[in-house]
Amino acid sequence: MSDTATSGVKQGFQLKSASVSMTALELYYFDDGEFEDVLRDKISQAPGFFKDIPLIISLEKYQGLDSELDFFKIIGTCRRNNIHVIGVRGGSDDQRRLARGAALALLPGNGQRDRAHEAEQAVAEEAEAAVGTASTGDAGDPPPAKIISQPVRSGQQIHAPEGDLVILAPVQAGAEVLAAGNIHVYGPLRGRALAGIHGAESARIFCQSLEAELVSIAGHYKISEDLQDNGWKSAVQIQLRDDLLVVTPLDKA
């Protein structure tokens, strides 16, 4: 052992828990050519949202007849489009073995939590429950809301990793605001707003004028073209119902 390690000098690194917003790709079947075409179409709808994001492949609804999924092809296709596959959720034992061979992390599925992941899943569920408490106002000590009083300008990112985010000014085009809980914008929302970034499906987005480039709750998103037919440039709330984002005028909420 070196003298540096024994003399009380600070080590070169520390391991700490971290919360990272990730998108899951629910795979129903896999056709190499079709997969890339559909992926490029999705990216073209919101290129700023998808660029360099970490991605989880979810196999919980996979309907392929064979288990010989070519994860290397999936990884390669995603990398060509600046998306980084980091893990697999769910899947059969054979599929998880192939994923491990492709150097992907293995995450338990909702319906199959093997013993190796039980402790990790318990921690994740506690964290999600805490976010739900903060969002619904139940008993407990919710994290304080992060309050921003200045306009969020193009290129800026505002992040509330533990609670709600309240912005008392406009969010300009090209800006991004993210929160573990709800997002309140007391002005026009012209940039991107991502609520429930750790998976809290009860999170909501409120704004005085909906003009957003993209809104997302717990990984479900809509881009501006999808939003302009409902509540555009008016005061609305956005919530998740049956895996769909629903926009409701605030005077009818």
Side-chain angles (χ1 to χ4, degrees), residues 58-241:
S58 173
L59 300 177
E60 294 168 295
K61 298 182 180 179
Y62 184 72
Q63 300 172 358
L65 298 178
D66 63 334
S67 61
E68 294 296 311
L69 265 174
D70 193 334
F71 287 105
F72 289 102
K73 283 187 177 179
I74 295 175
I75 294 169
T77 300
C78 289
R79 282 181 178 172
R80 284 196 299 273
N81 292 277
N82 298 312
I83 292 176
H84 308 282
V85 181
I86 65 171
V88 166
R89 183 173 68 192
S92 66
D93 290 341
D94 285 341
Q95 290 164 350
R96 292 168 74 82
R97 174 181 54 80
L98 292 169
R100 186 184 293 110
L104 295 176
L106 303 181
L107 288 80
N110 291 330
Q112 61 163 83
R113 295 175 183 149
D114 54 48
R115 293 180 181 178
H117 292 284
E118 282 181 355
E120 295 171 326
Q121 188 66 20
V123 172
E125 288 174 353
E126 285 182 14
E128 185 170 339
V131 172
T133 299
S135 299
T136 58
D138 291 341
D141 230 358
K146 184 172 185 177
I147 299 176
I148 304 296
S149 58
Q150 300 297 321
V152 185
R153 305 198 179 279
S154 179
Q156 282 188 295
Q157 183 187 77
I158 304 296
H159 186 201
E162 295 183 353
D164 289 0
L165 177 60
V166 179
I167 300 171
L168 306 176
V171 176
Q172 303 291 5
E176 186 172 73
V177 294
L178 308 91
N182 304 312
I183 294 176
H184 304 256
V185 180
Y186 292 93
L189 170 57
R190 300 190 180 102
R192 297 182 294 274
L194 292 79
I197 58 173
H198 304 321
E201 296 185 351
S202 61
R204 300 187 185 192
I205 298 171
F206 304 86
C207 64
Q208 292 299 308
S209 180
L210 177 62
E211 305 171 36
E213 299 168 333
L214 178 144
V215 294
S216 170
I217 296 176
H220 301 263
Y221 71 93
K222 281 189 175 184
I223 59 174
S224 60
E225 286 82 353
D226 301 324
L227 297 168
Q228 292 183 17
D229 295 332
N230 188 9
W232 191 248
K233 291 191 176 181
S234 62
V236 300
Q237 70 163 327
I238 304 166
Q239 59 187 309
L240 193 61
R241 294 180 186 166

